[in-house]
Amino acid sequence: MNRRDFSLAVVAGLMGLSQTRAHAAERAPAFSFPSIDGGTLDTADWRGRPVLVVNTASLCGFSGQLVDLQALHKTYGARGLVVLAVPSDSFKQELAGAKQVKEFCALQFGITLPMTDILPVTGAQAHPFYRWVRETRGFTPGWNFNKVLLDGEGQVVRTWGALTNPLSDAIVEAFTPLLPRS
């Protein structure tokens, strides 16, 4: 262990953190997602801003939450919040292709927030972001509309299941202190 790692371990121990958590905090990875519009969405581009990542599915009973995700985007986006929808067929409730998903979400819910292409969020084929969240936080989406909040450094702050509405006090109170200061 080098001197820097030793110092981090001592500070982490004094703060009640594990050495692993101290190392994770200093090296939050960035993730690239294929955009539903083509190109890529890169979490590194959003450093300094909180990011709420939500695995979505057009045909899910929770799809009404897309209206609330769009409301978060509209209300807090200008203040720095990024809301990222990750359409997924991991629970067999997504449309057949990205074009259909984009059209459905725009027409039914007025979605203008960033969306990825359709990606797996569970199992061995899960997108690297979801594998990282599983490995570092022990969190795997148990259904559609699970939420992962990242801070401005890309670290996981909190996770919520499908039953927690995006406009809930729990979520708003978790990201509000993370918004960039104007």
Side-chain angles (χ1 to χ4, degrees):
M1 179 181 291
N2 66 34
R3 176 177 240 147
R4 182 171 182 264
D5 288 342
F6 177 77
S7 297
L8 282 173
V10 169
V11 170
L14 292 172
M15 295 177 63
L17 302 172
S18 70
Q19 182 179 2
T20 304
R21 182 165 166 85
H23 280 224
E26 87 182 40
R27 292 189 212 126
F31 295 95
S32 291
F33 295 86
S35 172
I36 202 163
D37 296 317
T40 59
L41 300 165
D42 194 330
T43 60
D45 294 338
W46 300 322
R47 290 290 161 104
R49 302 168 64 184
V51 180
L52 184 65
V53 183
V54 184
N55 64 301
T56 63
S58 303
L59 305 177
C60 180
F62 289 105
S63 66
Q65 288 187 17
L66 285 163
V67 171
D68 299 327
L69 292 171
Q70 181 64 31
L72 283 178
H73 172 70
K74 184 176 179 182
T75 303
Y76 295 98
R79 292 181 52 199
L81 177 67
V82 176
V83 180
L84 178 63
V86 181
S88 177
D89 197 37
S90 290
F91 303 104
K92 310 298 181 212
Q93 293 190 314
E94 190 51 272
L95 297 169
K99 183 178 178 182
Q100 294 96 326
V101 171
K102 181 173 173 58
E103 189 174 287
F104 176 82
C105 289
L107 291 174
Q108 294 295 315
F109 303 106
I111 298 299
T112 62
L113 56 88
M115 293 181 74
T116 71
D117 202 345
I118 300 170
L119 298 171
V121 298
T122 61
Q125 299 303 313
H127 182 275
F129 170 79
Y130 284 97
R131 291 196 313 260
W132 174 74
V133 172
R134 180 184 65 226
E135 291 165 8
T136 61
R137 293 297 294 245
F139 180 80
T140 300
W143 194 243
N144 303 306
F145 291 89
N146 280 218
K147 296 121 188 120
V148 178
L149 177 62
L150 305 176
D151 66 13
E153 298 303 314
Q155 287 296 323
V156 175
V157 175
R158 286 267 326 259
T159 60
W160 297 271
L163 295 176
T164 304
N165 185 282
L167 293 173
S168 70
D169 289 343
I171 292 177
V172 173
E173 290 171 2
F175 73 72
T176 302
L178 304 174
L179 293 171
R181 305 284 183 240
S182 10

